[in-house]
Amino acid sequence: MSRRARPTLRVLREDLGDGWPTPFTRRAIEAGDIEAIQPLDALDHPILLKASSSFTDNPADDTYVGSIASVSSSQLLEIKSGQWRAGVLVESDVCWVVTAGLAKGGHKDRDDFYKSLERQEENGTISALLPSQEDRDALKRERASAIIEDWQLQVQNLLLDAIRTVAHGGVAEISIPSPDPKAESGELFASMTMEVALPEDDYPHEDVVLEFSFADRWKNTQLRWHLTVQALATVNPPQDGWDRTGEIYSNLLEPGTLARRALEVEVLHDRGEIARSTPTSHSHWTHRKNLAQRSIDGTAVLALCGIYFVPHRDAGAFDKCPTCASLYSEIPTD
């Protein structure tokens, strides 16, 4: 696990009011949008960059200056970058930048970084600098997000290999590994089959079929649907263009579509990007049951026209699906 130093949220909100190379990060902090600037161990403030690079996977190679002498209640390790200073608290699995500021006036100025720490040590308030539960929760979410993103890239690579295999017809079997880093070796999240029938004289389409079989542990989880959407979006977005029967999805594509898609996904993958779902371009009719919750948790519902889609709260912003509208008009209302 990386030991790159990361700032506490208090440091971001209170200590680093300036020094950022662009205004974006500061604006996100002021707006409370911390997720927009994650990972926090890669922020581009000079003192944070220096702190991050000062702690390596091997503690013997750390390059901090030493312990801050004026603080005895906690061991804070000193970081210097130009006029900026920082104090880092090292825990077993993470290094926290818990305080930062400027060295001023030969360390005699009241706002000097070291003078401020001296006062807090004398007042017994150094503990207020230490990581809060909010910091630990943010770290947990960030690590979980990183695990899922790495897993999604791994899944995308497996899907890309399968697309290349079947682009000219055939069947590919795909074993999706568990995203749980503590899972036993070989434990699967799902098994997939990708089958492609090429165009014939009387059938000028690539007939693509994806079939999913999920491990019992993951059948009733949000990740199950997210994996499905990722697979559909990787092979041929948008995901609501596929027909569904149970866990079998099918689509009719123009000749050469899969070969072109393989090249597109390869470019994305080489950049470390994940093929994203394409939002629906129509508003659909569906049953009211669970509709509000589905729009919140991002799971799909079956539309009257037969496709599955993720509902949005701003459905009025889209044109009405003509198939849904036609079918709805035929439903007796008396």
Side-chain angles (χ1 to χ4, degrees):
M1 192 169 293
S2 173
R3 294 178 68 246
R4 286 170 59 90
R6 57 184 287 118
T8 63
L9 298 176
R10 189 208 63 79
V11 166
L12 293 177
R13 292 164 180 161
E14 300 178 17
D15 293 355
L16 299 179
D18 54 22
W20 299 97
T22 66
F24 169 78
T25 306
R26 189 64 211 161
R27 288 172 183 167
I29 294 168
E30 291 172 349
D33 190 7
I34 299 301
E35 291 186 2
I37 59 173
Q38 291 177 335
L40 299 188
D41 63 8
L43 293 176
D44 56 358
H45 192 285
I47 192 62
L48 297 182
L49 288 172
K50 182 65 175 180
S52 292
S53 66
S54 297
F55 295 88
T56 67
D57 292 340
N58 182 2
D61 295 330
D62 291 349
T63 57
Y64 57 86
V65 176
S67 295
I68 297 177
S70 58
V71 178
S72 58
S73 56
S74 294
Q75 185 182 34
L76 301 185
L77 304 179
E78 185 177 7
I79 304 295
K80 294 182 178 181
S81 177
Q83 196 178 350
W84 283 99
R85 302 289 186 268
V88 176
L89 175 73
V90 176
E91 294 184 338
S92 58
D93 63 343
V94 61
C95 301
W96 297 96
V97 179
V98 298
T99 183
L102 295 168
K104 297 181 177 180
H107 308 321
K108 296 179 181 180
D109 191 295
R110 176 175 175 78
D111 294 330
D112 172 69
F113 172 75
Y114 301 100
K115 282 294 184 181
S116 177
L117 286 178
E118 282 181 12
R119 289 195 302 275
Q120 291 178 82
E121 181 69 23
E122 292 171 358
N123 297 334
T125 57
I126 288 292
S127 60
L129 303 179
L130 304 185
S132 65
Q133 188 59 49
E134 184 184 15
D135 289 308
R136 300 186 190 283
D137 289 345
L139 174 59
K140 184 177 180 179
R141 289 192 300 270
E142 189 175 307
R143 285 178 170 173
S145 178
I147 289 171
I148 293 301
E149 185 171 345
D150 288 345
W151 176 69
Q152 289 177 320
L153 284 169
Q154 185 179 4
V155 169
Q156 181 168 266
N157 191 51
L158 293 170
L159 292 169
L160 176 57
D161 286 343
I163 295 171
R164 289 168 174 155
T165 299
V166 301
H168 302 292
V171 179
E173 303 290 340
I174 310 167
S175 296
I176 306 296
S178 170
D180 185 352
K182 297 181 180 179
E184 295 184 5
S185 177
E187 182 178 330
L188 294 183
F189 179 87
S191 297
M192 286 180 56
T193 301
M194 185 183 301
E195 184 174 359
V196 176
L198 292 180
E200 298 179 358
D201 292 340
D202 57 345
Y203 193 74
H205 298 95
E206 294 178 344
D207 191 350
V208 184
V209 177
L210 300 180
E211 184 171 358
F212 298 80
S213 177
F214 295 92
D216 290 342
R217 174 184 175 185
W218 303 102
K219 281 183 177 179
N220 297 314
T221 65
Q222 289 294 319
L223 276 180
R224 168 181 170 273
W225 174 246
H226 286 299
L227 181 278
T228 302
V229 170
Q230 181 184 357
L232 300 180
T234 300
V235 177
N236 188 66
Q239 79 274 3
D240 61 2
W242 292 74
D243 295 322
R244 177 184 181 183
T245 304
E247 296 298 343
I248 300 175
Y249 295 78
S250 59
N251 209 337
L252 298 178
L253 308 180
E254 294 295 322
T257 297
L258 280 183
R260 291 192 296 272
R261 185 59 178 164
L263 296 175
E264 294 169 356
V265 175
E266 183 176 357
V267 171
L268 288 173
H269 198 74
D270 288 345
R271 292 201 302 249
E273 298 177 10
I274 299 167
R276 297 299 182 186
S277 163
T278 302
T280 181
S281 58
H282 291 99
S283 61
H284 297 274
W285 273 257
T286 189
H287 197 283
R288 290 180 181 273
K289 183 180 179 181
N290 298 327
L291 185 58
Q293 184 60 37
R294 296 292 184 91
S295 68
I296 294 172
D297 61 28
T299 53
V301 295
L302 179 62
L304 193 59
C305 65
I307 71 165
Y308 279 80
F309 72 102
V310 177
H312 299 273
R313 297 184 216 185
D314 58 346
F318 300 101
D319 294 333
K320 293 178 181 179
C321 168
T323 304
C324 280
S326 176
L327 291 171
Y328 183 76
S329 69
E330 298 175 3
I331 298 175
T333 57
D334 296 334

